[in-house]
Amino acid sequence: MGRNCKVLIVGAGPGGYVAAIRAGQLGLDTVIVEGDRAGGTCLIRGCIPSKAVIHAATRFEELGAHAGDGDMGISLPDGPMLNMGKLVEWKESIVDKLNSGVEMLLKKAGVELVRGWATFRDGKTCDVETSEGSVKITAEHVVLATGSRATELSFMPFGGNIISSTEALELGELPERLVVIGAGYIGLELGIAYRKLGCQVEFIEALDHILPLYDAELVRPISMWLRKHKVPMHLSARATEAKTRGKTTTVGFTDADGKAQKAKGERVLVAVGRRPCTEGWGLENMAIDLDGPFVKVDTRCRTSMRNVWAIGDLVGEPMLAHKASAQGEMVAEIIAGHRREFDPVGIPAVCFTEPEIIGVGLTPDEAKEAGIATTVGKFPFAASGRALAMQAGTDGGFVRITARRDDNVIIGIHAVGAHVAELSGEFAHALEMSARLEDIAGTIHVHPTLTEAFAEAALAGLGHAIHVAK
Ligand code: NAD
């Protein structure tokens, strides 16, 4: 079987499927190839299922607060009961809904979804093994969107008790103890969720701090939560070996003083980063340059080969779904003849820890390093009526705005606190529009909402916050 098309997209994750929908909308004859389920890591085994598990874990912990004497005058004498199998089933139902939604959107946009793994023979031709036999697809434009996979530690490959985030989202039974290697995005999001579900969690992190992308002030509320919930955090520590006997795996590691230590668990989650998927699909048969482990692209996501494009995790940091989608949409429009470039002022990143943490643009330290004189405005959620009324004002959270001192143009916005992820849109918008402190302070924010903390942080930057004394 053979098929010729204008645009061939490989990988139906948030990069590839968005590129395909946009290409379809623009009237381009488009084929997307996917070997797994449409939706990619984000939708099938990453962002969405993890947010479902995190939500369920938070609900379970909150209900637990009503056990015994209760909380807020509400008591649940016997406390909540957990059925991990049903929790995973519920999470799967959300994944199924989104997966069929993506397939429906592709169909409605006139995109052909070919199910199977593609292998490229050259820059414009691939073979796909489908259930109905091999299909040869030739295209004028190729968009590579193969994503990334979890990095393995050579001395403890995935399998059995050693799991990646994929298996961590499918555990039908709650392990009594979970050892997490790596206190970055994935390790902390899932480790905190499992702690909320009642598991004993212990971290081994190579650096001397958690969440390397954020500064000390921002991660303090998360460290506080971990301490309060008795989660051992071994910093400047390196895992060296893992031995499984019966149901228990013992992880050997060296601590900050170079001493050999051990951590035991029924499961060990390895979350030490992700690598772009550049192997197993014939990249070597295409004349494409790499940039370290990533496919090299320019600001239009063009690879070194004419009319071959690459997007998402495959092309570098930040490995975030929304970056991939933005690039996918752009590439489809460029192929259709639009003038576009990938040049965002900032790409917001959220970590769904307890509490949540969000950042877009420069931190005060990064601005200083870049030689920019700054004004910093900060507002604590402890002074927000809405936060207190939602039991979200006591976790040490705050909004922090970094602006250029000479003209008050905002160059970075960071926040930590319960529910702050939902403020990320306003933050990204402000940065993208080159808002000044006066623009944010002068925008009437709804009372009582958490967004008022953003306006108050801008006022603080201007030297006259209302709801916090100087
Ligand atoms: P990460 O880079 O965020 O964190 C990995 C951590 O592992 C680092 O702190 C690192 O110092 C540590 N580490 C590395 N080797 C180690 C070793 N041998 N022993 C102990 N610690 C070690 O990576 P991740 O958490 O695996 O996430 C991967 C990617 O997925 C990230 O690029 C992130 O952008 C993305 N992601 C995003 C979200 C989100 O946006 N909410 C959530 C999850 C993942």
Side-chain angles (χ1 to χ4, degrees):
M1 275 195 285
R3 169 82 157 90
N4 278 319
C5 59
K6 172 88 174 178
V7 186
L8 163 66
I9 298 166
V10 181
Y17 86 69
V18 169
I21 291 173
R22 188 70 188 115
Q25 287 173 345
L26 291 161
L28 306 173
D29 176 22
T30 305
V31 172
I32 187 164
V33 181
E34 172 57 61
D36 201 314
R37 297 168 74 194
T41 296
C42 170
L43 219 137
I44 307 297
R45 54 192 165 272
C47 325
I48 301 295
S50 67
K51 290 329 74 85
V53 169
I54 289 167
H55 173 73
T58 303
R59 172 74 65 85
F60 183 72
E61 199 206 20
E62 282 170 3
L63 289 171
H66 296 281
D69 292 342
D71 187 27
M72 294 187 266
I74 302 171
S75 59
L76 195 64
D78 296 332
M81 302 269 288
L82 178 68
N83 181 329
M84 220 28 217
K86 287 212 167 135
L87 191 161
V88 171
E89 251 174 51
W90 167 76
K91 174 224 61 169
E92 271 311 303
S93 71
I94 295 164
V95 171
D96 290 347
K97 220 173 270 171
L98 292 171
N99 162 250
S100 47
V102 166
E103 292 194 7
M104 188 269 292
L105 290 171
L106 288 168
K107 204 168 161 184
K108 289 252 162 95
V111 174
E112 184 183 344
L113 171 62
V114 174
R115 294 168 206 272
W117 298 104
T119 310
F120 281 85
R121 335 176 154 184
D122 61 49
K124 304 288 161 51
T125 319
C126 74
D127 299 298
V128 185
E129 295 310 319
T130 72
S131 54
E132 284 109 50
S134 182
V135 185
K136 179 180 159 201
I137 306 175
T138 309
E140 215 175 291
H141 291 267
V142 169
V143 182
L144 304 171
T146 54
S148 63
R149 60 167 57 101
T151 305
E152 220 169 30
L153 290 174
S154 58
F155 52 89
M156 47 191 301
F158 294 126
N161 290 351
I162 314 289
I163 58 173
S164 72
S165 53
T166 304
E167 296 78 34
L169 293 167
E170 287 168 356
L171 296 180
E173 240 176 79
L174 187 73
E176 202 177 308
R177 297 164 299 178
L178 175 70
V179 178
V180 183
I181 304 185
Y185 271 78
I186 295 179
L188 279 169
E189 286 190 3
L190 294 180
I192 288 175
Y194 271 94
R195 183 70 194 100
K196 287 180 177 176
L197 290 170
C199 181
Q200 286 173 40
V201 178
E202 185 164 359
F203 281 89
I204 298 169
E205 164 57 51
L207 296 177
D208 62 0
H209 55 279
I210 63 172
L211 280 176
L213 282 180
Y214 301 98
D215 56 53
E217 179 179 55
L218 280 163
V219 300
R220 196 168 298 126
I222 296 153
S223 301
M224 263 163 47
W225 189 94
L226 292 168
R227 261 199 306 277
K228 191 171 156 202
H229 289 76
K230 302 195 170 34
V231 177
M233 175 66 69
H234 306 286
L235 294 173
S236 306
R238 277 203 171 264
T240 50
E241 60 171 5
K243 283 189 186 138
T244 300
R245 189 172 287 171
K247 285 188 168 178
T248 307
T249 298
T250 304
V251 178
F253 67 94
T254 48
D255 69 12
D257 302 322
K259 279 198 199 124
Q261 301 275 7
K262 285 185 170 54
K264 286 178 197 275
E266 287 70 44
R267 291 281 191 271
V268 179
L269 168 61
V270 178
V272 296
R274 295 182 64 85
R275 277 177 188 280
C277 293
T278 48
E279 281 163 17
W281 48 268
L283 179 68
E284 58 284 2
N285 302 326
M286 308 166 94
I288 285 182
D289 292 344
L290 294 182
D291 180 5
F294 299 104
V295 166
K296 188 175 175 185
V297 289
D298 66 8
T299 53
R300 291 182 172 82
C301 288
R302 291 183 292 209
T303 68
S304 51
M305 196 173 178
R306 201 177 165 79
N307 293 345
V308 177
W309 316 74
I311 58 176
D313 287 7
L314 186 62
V315 302
E317 296 282 359
M319 293 200 227
L320 296 172
H322 42 282
K323 180 205 77 172
S325 299
Q327 290 178 329
E329 209 179 322
M330 174 195 75
V331 165
E333 293 183 358
I334 296 174
I335 293 173
H338 300 196
R339 279 183 72 85
R340 290 287 313 273
E341 194 170 9
F342 189 70
D343 187 22
V345 180
I347 301 175
V350 171
C351 194
F352 293 82
T353 35
E354 185 60 62
E356 293 170 350
I357 185 164
I358 143 98
V360 59
L362 300 180
T363 63
D365 289 345
E366 286 164 348
K368 197 171 169 193
E369 257 171 51
I372 305 170
T374 58
T375 299
V376 176
K378 225 174 109 178
F379 187 79
F381 284 113
S384 154
R386 172 66 168 159
L388 291 172
M390 291 167 85
Q391 295 187 304
T394 53
D395 56 16
F398 59 87
V399 176
R400 184 183 73 196
I401 307 181
T402 308
R404 281 200 304 244
R405 191 178 297 163
D406 53 358
D407 56 9
N408 287 347
V409 168
I410 296 173
I411 53 172
I413 307 164
H414 294 79
V416 57
H419 313 295
V420 295
E422 304 307 328
L423 303 185
S424 58
E426 191 185 358
F427 293 172
H429 192 209
L431 205 80
E432 205 63 40
M433 300 291 286
S434 303
R436 290 156 35 119
L437 292 173
E438 292 85 342
D439 296 321
I440 304 307
T443 301
I444 298 178
H445 284 75
V446 175
H447 178 71
T449 65
L450 295 181
T451 67
E452 290 169 285
F454 187 36
E456 285 274 8
L459 282 173
L462 295 169
H464 48 87
I466 299 293
H467 291 93
V468 70
K470 259 194 189 177

